[in-house]
Amino acid sequence: MSRIICAIIWCVVVLVPSFVAAETVKNFAVNGNSRLDKEAIIRYLPFSIGDNPDIQQIDSGVKALLASDLFSNVQITSDGVGNYLIDVVENPIIAKLYFDGNDRYDDDTLRSEVLLKEGAMMTDARVKASMLRLQDLYKRAGRYSTEVVPKIVKKPDNRVDFVFEIEEGEVVYIEDISIIGNRAFSDSRLRGIIDTKEDHWWRFFSSDSTFDEDRLAVDKSKLVEFYEEKGFADFIVESATATLTADKEAFIIKFVVNEGRRYQIRNVNIDDRLTDIELDDINEHVDQENEDYYNKKSVRKNEEDLVLFLSEQGYPFVDVRGEIERVGDTELDLTYVISESAPAYVERIDISGNVRTLDDVIRRKLSIVEGDPLNRSLLERSERDLRGTGFFSKVDLIERPGSEAGSVDMRVDVEEQSTGDITFGVGVSTIDNLLGEISLTERNFLGRGQYVRVGALLSGRRQEIDFGFTEPYLLDRDLSGGFDIYHTTTDLRQEASYDESNTGFVLRSGFLAAEDLSLRPRYKINYGEINNLNDQASAIVRDTADRGALISSSVGYEAIYDQRDDFIFPTEGYLLRVNQDLAGLGGDVKAFKTIASGKVFYTPLEKYTFSWELEGGAVFPFGGYDLRIIDRNLLGAASFRGFDIAGVGPRIVPSNPNENADAIGGTYFTILRSEVTVPLPGLDDFGMSGALFNDTGTIWNVDNIPSGVTNQNDVKDDANIRSSVGFGLNWTSPLGPIRLDFAYPVVKESFDREQVFRFSAGSQF
């Protein structure tokens, strides 16, 4: 009996619906529609009049109508003789969209975040997605207990007013960041690498002390990159977790790491399986050597350089991989394996997502173009270079099959971000006193990748206004070009009894002459004079003033060779810089000026970075031109700690009590600056570090003394060495960098002027 009952039920559930659904469609009727007509609704169905739809086709029709987002409910029934009734409930139209309870974000910000729009359909899916997006927005601001409740107010004609009622939770900050498993580097060193920060009072301008899942993922990558650059080839982040405290008022961040061992390179080898190029020529493009610590970043760069070199030598389909083989506990062999890659060409490159930035600006940062052999090392470089522009918050290079075998299409998908800045700055220093600055900067002007800046600075001793424009790809080449217009006034009446005024125009260019070597040629025309003399200005100062304003027309260049490991906080490497200007291409001034410097960084112990900088300069007049005070070099304050502005070197020490002791500058100078940064226990987390320093140097030679100086002995000019020692305090404060220097001259001349304490601080907001 039970089997018979089951069979009957099966027939009712399966066979009867199938039989009913198999009727030939004779007519459609629609009920419940007011905005969409009958024919438009019927077109969503996978069957039409004359068809014999089964139950699956009817179900597909219901799903298709629901997927249209036009209806909240759909039913399709048949009367058994071929008449099909489609009952629909239309989704309402949003008449007004409101937000209630929001203080952290204004209505416009929230409107741009949600998927609901006024005049559009309201669907359950869009409501749920919008609620999640709003909650995610508040989570990124650290407000994890924020609640979002939707409310609907019905209106005539199937319209609604939709309200998001928001109860903003309190900001949940990061109370503690712990790192477990690190031995080679301290917690404070690693905390300085990651973007996530512990909450402290001085971070009130920063959002880094609120929890962000995306930021935590980036932090994991930063830790891996840091360790791999320091030789830890086996380093991994085993876990990175964020836990709310029991009271739900703070987060605890915990990184568990496994450092592995630190490896030195025993041998660097080339395994060339493709070319017949001499190994010595290949080795020229490898900068890692035996006994160096393994550096994965350097290995990647060598891979890219070798790919470019081999492509230029006629091997377009090449793959280079830096493979390592561990030898013992602390050594490894590094082998660059050169092999042939599968032949493939780039057929098309499509760019999407750029609303403002021109396609050409993006294409010129790509190391690969249409028709080139496909090389993934060059694709990685292209992606990195595009990110480096700062124009985009997201860059993705996506490969797709081309129209034929052996070809690929590339899609460059970008997401633009703001590239304009308005900066207000305030600061104070013992040199400029209180200062204020405002500047407007656009790094992607009109979407052309051009750089435009206008700025003004006002302080107790200096006023400046300037405008600059830079085209990074002049004539569609990897050559920058631009110009600057400026006017400055500097008060030097305390040091030399005059104000200095300069107005000028600079036409400049820049290009990479070789790897890490940049050249920046320039032409400069300057209108300079001294004025506003003190009543007791010395005769030599008055002589310069009596010559009036002179025009300097000069051509020059700056050469920079940069081998530092970091541009902002270097710990290893060196920086060489040369500046030379020849004035005399027209104008009144005829002089050749050179300033050169070299700076070396060395970190034998963690957080103890030594640096030595040797700088020197000279200015040579020619064609019978007599140098003015403002043509010579001045030394002191920031350039020679322990001494005042222009406090070192040639000076008038008048026998006439009616004249001032004015600094008059020298034609030659040289100085060696030595410094070591030292940690300050207990203050690391405050962004503070110390520095011990010594400056040793001299400035000398006044090549012409005006006839108005009746007593030649009044001019104190010698090349005796001066030296100072001191202690500095650096603080990366929420208001900007602050530096305090306490210096004491241990070797000086009686006529030099001291400055024991120097303070500088600034802010941009």
Side-chain angles (χ1 to χ4, degrees):
M1 179 63 71
S2 60
R3 291 182 179 180
I4 295 174
I5 294 173
C6 289
I8 294 172
I9 293 174
W10 182 83
C11 291
V12 171
V13 172
V14 177
L15 295 180
V16 172
S18 298
F19 175 76
V20 173
E23 297 167 359
T24 301
V25 179
K26 297 179 180 178
N27 184 47
F28 284 113
V30 178
N31 182 42
N33 59 315
S34 61
R35 290 190 297 270
L36 202 64
D37 61 33
K38 170 184 174 181
E39 297 303 322
I41 294 175
I42 293 173
R43 281 196 293 269
Y44 279 93
L45 303 179
F47 56 91
S48 58
I49 292 175
D51 292 341
N52 298 313
D54 57 23
I55 191 66
Q56 286 80 14
Q57 288 177 299
I58 293 175
D59 183 62
S60 296
V62 171
K63 290 178 179 178
L65 287 167
L66 289 173
S68 70
D69 280 344
L70 298 171
F71 311 104
S72 61
N73 191 27
V74 176
Q75 288 185 341
I76 301 178
T77 57
S78 170
D79 62 0
V81 293
N83 297 311
Y84 282 77
L85 176 63
I86 306 171
D87 276 303
V88 298
V89 178
E90 291 181 330
N91 282 320
I93 296 292
I94 299 175
K96 293 292 183 181
L97 180 63
Y98 298 99
F99 299 92
D100 184 37
N102 52 306
D103 292 324
R104 174 65 176 82
Y105 298 104
D106 59 28
D107 286 2
D108 289 340
T109 300
L110 299 183
R111 285 178 193 277
S112 66
E113 195 72 23
V114 300
L115 301 180
L116 301 180
K117 307 296 179 185
E118 292 180 355
M121 291 278 189
M122 184 197 78
T123 69
D124 289 342
R126 290 177 185 174
V127 171
K128 292 176 182 177
S130 296
M131 291 173 61
L132 289 175
R133 289 171 70 104
L134 289 176
Q135 288 172 336
D136 287 342
L137 179 67
Y138 277 94
K139 282 181 180 179
R140 292 196 296 271
R143 299 174 185 265
Y144 278 78
S145 58
T146 296
E147 293 185 1
V148 180
V149 179
K151 292 290 180 69
I152 298 172
V153 180
K154 293 185 177 181
K155 300 177 74 69
D157 301 325
N158 200 22
R159 295 181 304 125
V160 296
D161 287 347
F162 194 94
V163 184
F164 283 106
E165 291 189 350
I166 300 172
E167 185 177 339
E168 297 181 338
E170 295 294 326
V171 176
V172 181
Y173 291 101
I174 295 170
E175 183 178 279
D176 180 69
I177 299 175
S178 62
I179 302 173
I180 299 172
N182 55 309
R183 301 182 308 276
F185 302 100
S186 67
D187 285 10
S188 59
R189 176 73 183 277
L190 298 181
R191 288 193 194 106
I193 293 167
I194 62 178
D195 291 337
T196 303
K197 304 297 181 185
E198 292 178 352
D199 181 44
H200 294 291
W201 65 267
W202 63 85
R203 291 203 173 101
F204 53 84
F205 280 155
S206 172
S207 62
D208 293 342
S209 56
T210 59
F211 174 63
D212 187 315
E213 290 183 5
D214 294 336
R215 188 189 299 137
L216 195 64
V218 172
D219 289 340
K220 291 171 62 177
S221 299
K222 287 195 170 187
L223 287 173
V224 172
E225 290 174 3
F226 172 77
Y227 270 92
E228 288 181 339
E229 290 176 19
K230 301 299 182 182
F232 294 84
D234 302 326
F235 175 85
I236 59 171
V237 179
E238 294 183 344
S239 65
T241 58
T243 307
L244 270 172
T245 56
D247 57 10
K248 296 185 178 182
E249 292 185 354
F251 270 105
I252 305 296
I253 306 295
K254 181 184 294 184
F255 293 93
V256 179
V257 303
N258 186 341
E259 291 182 333
R261 299 181 183 276
R262 191 181 191 191
Y263 292 93
Q264 281 184 290
I265 298 174
R266 187 182 70 168
N267 293 306
V268 179
N269 305 307
I270 303 294
D271 181 6
D272 187 356
R273 305 173 183 177
L274 177 64
T275 80
D276 56 1
I277 300 174
E278 294 291 334
L279 290 182
D280 288 344
D281 294 335
I282 295 176
N283 276 317
E284 288 182 3
H285 300 274
V286 175
D287 59 11
Q288 287 211 297
E289 301 176 354
N290 299 349
E291 299 185 359
D292 285 352
Y293 282 110
Y294 173 73
N295 185 330
K296 190 169 183 178
K297 181 180 180 181
S298 179
V299 171
R300 286 199 189 103
K301 184 176 182 301
N302 290 336
E303 291 171 347
E304 294 173 356
D305 291 344
L306 284 171
V307 167
L308 288 174
F309 168 70
L310 296 172
S311 298
E312 292 169 355
Q313 301 301 309
Y315 298 92
F317 303 108
V318 61
D319 183 65
V320 180
R321 288 289 177 264
E323 299 181 355
I324 59 175
E325 181 181 355
R326 293 159 182 80
V327 183
D329 292 336
T330 59
E331 289 185 319
L332 57 78
D333 289 340
L334 172 62
T335 302
Y336 288 95
V337 179
I338 301 172
S339 59
E340 187 174 14
S341 62
Y345 289 91
V346 177
E347 183 177 0
R348 286 172 51 88
I349 297 179
D350 297 317
I351 299 173
S352 64
N354 55 319
V355 178
R356 181 164 172 265
T357 306
L358 301 180
D359 278 11
D360 287 346
V361 174
I362 296 174
R363 289 181 182 275
R364 68 193 184 196
K365 301 303 292 186
L366 301 178
S367 298
I368 198 166
V369 298
E370 283 98 339
D372 278 0
L374 177 66
N375 190 289
R376 286 179 176 78
S377 293
L378 299 184
L379 292 180
E380 291 174 6
R381 172 177 288 189
S382 300
E383 184 173 340
R384 186 176 63 249
D385 289 346
L386 278 172
R387 293 181 188 277
T389 63
F391 302 162
F392 312 107
S393 60
K394 185 186 76 170
V395 177
D396 289 319
L397 270 63
I398 304 167
E399 296 180 36
R400 292 179 174 176
S403 61
E404 58 186 35
S407 68
V408 296
D409 290 341
M410 297 298 307
R411 193 181 82 186
V412 182
D413 190 12
V414 300
E415 186 174 302
E416 293 177 317
Q417 63 183 7
S418 174
T419 55
D421 299 301
I422 178 169
T423 303
F424 299 92
V426 294
V428 62
S429 75
T430 50
I431 297 175
D432 291 320
N433 301 322
L434 183 66
L435 61 88
E437 179 182 12
I438 181 173
S439 66
L440 295 172
T441 303
E442 173 53 60
R443 292 174 282 113
N444 188 15
F445 184 62
L446 299 179
R448 300 176 180 273
Q450 298 165 338
Y451 180 91
V452 178
R453 179 188 183 277
V454 58
L457 181 144
L458 176 65
S459 74
R461 302 195 52 161
R462 185 161 55 101
Q463 296 82 47
E464 178 177 346
I465 185 169
D466 64 272
F467 174 81
F469 172 85
T470 302
E471 166 56 63
Y473 278 81
L474 191 64
L475 304 176
D476 289 327
R477 298 178 180 272
D478 196 6
L479 171 72
S480 69
F483 64 88
D484 299 298
I485 304 172
Y486 63 88
H487 174 75
T488 64
T489 300
T490 306
D491 182 356
L492 292 171
R493 284 179 294 176
Q494 296 180 18
E495 296 77 24
S497 300
Y498 64 84
D499 287 345
E500 180 179 346
S501 175
N502 288 283
T503 303
F505 172 82
V506 181
L507 188 64
R508 50 183 166 73
S509 181
F511 59 93
L512 200 63
E515 188 173 0
D516 301 319
L517 174 63
S518 59
L519 290 178
R520 301 171 184 174
R522 60 181 174 252
Y523 170 75
K524 180 178 180 180
I525 185 165
N526 183 81
Y527 180 88
E529 64 178 331
I530 68 171
N531 47 41
N532 199 19
L533 270 59
N534 291 341
D535 293 338
Q536 293 182 309
S538 61
I540 196 168
V541 172
R542 293 187 179 279
D543 175 78
T544 295
D546 290 342
R547 295 167 67 179
L550 298 184
I551 295 176
S552 171
S553 175
S554 64
V555 62
Y557 73 93
E558 180 180 41
I560 301 174
Y561 187 66
D562 196 341
Q563 285 289 311
R564 295 174 297 174
D565 62 345
D566 189 275
F567 295 151
I568 301 175
F569 300 110
T571 59
E572 301 285 347
Y574 58 91
L575 174 68
L576 305 177
R577 189 189 302 265
V578 176
N579 273 281
Q580 292 188 314
D581 290 281
L582 175 65
L585 306 178
D588 307 304
V589 179
K590 293 178 173 57
F592 178 65
K593 191 169 187 176
T594 296
I595 297 178
S597 66
K599 192 168 186 178
V600 179
F601 301 89
Y602 177 57
T603 305
L605 298 172
E606 183 191 356
K607 292 192 177 181
Y608 289 85
T609 298
F610 291 81
S611 67
W612 298 270
E613 180 180 19
L614 179 63
E615 184 180 18
V619 55
F620 305 98
F622 62 89
Y625 177 74
D626 291 333
L627 293 176
R628 302 168 296 168
I629 292 176
I630 58 176
D631 297 322
R632 301 192 188 98
N633 298 298
L634 299 175
L635 206 58
S639 61
F640 201 143
R641 290 163 291 190
F643 295 91
D644 203 353
I645 302 173
V648 181
R651 182 178 300 278
I652 292 289
V653 182
S655 54
N656 183 351
N658 294 322
E659 292 187 2
N660 289 337
D662 294 326
I664 55 177
T667 56
Y668 309 103
F669 80 92
T670 183
I671 185 168
L672 174 65
R673 305 181 185 96
S674 306
E675 183 167 307
V676 55
T677 60
V678 296
L680 300 176
L683 298 178
D684 290 11
D685 289 340
F686 290 86
M688 293 185 180
S689 63
L692 301 173
F693 61 82
N694 165 246
D695 290 353
T696 299
T698 186
I699 180 170
W700 73 98
N701 192 51
V702 181
D703 61 345
N704 61 288
I705 301 175
S707 57
V709 181
T710 55
N711 188 346
Q712 301 294 309
N713 292 327
D714 289 354
V715 180
K716 302 300 180 182
D717 177 19
D718 58 60
N720 293 339
I721 293 294
R722 282 81 157 176
S723 184
S724 66
V725 296
F727 171 77
L729 177 65
N730 295 298
W731 181 25
T732 306
S733 78
L735 297 178
I738 292 177
R739 171 84 184 208
L740 289 82
D741 285 323
F742 300 87
Y744 178 74
V746 293
V747 179
K748 62 185 177 101
E749 294 298 314
S750 59
F751 52 85
D752 292 334
R753 293 186 177 179
E754 302 178 20
Q755 185 188 74
V756 175
F757 170 70
R758 194 169 72 88
F759 168 80
S760 63
S763 173
Q764 293 186 333
F765 51 88

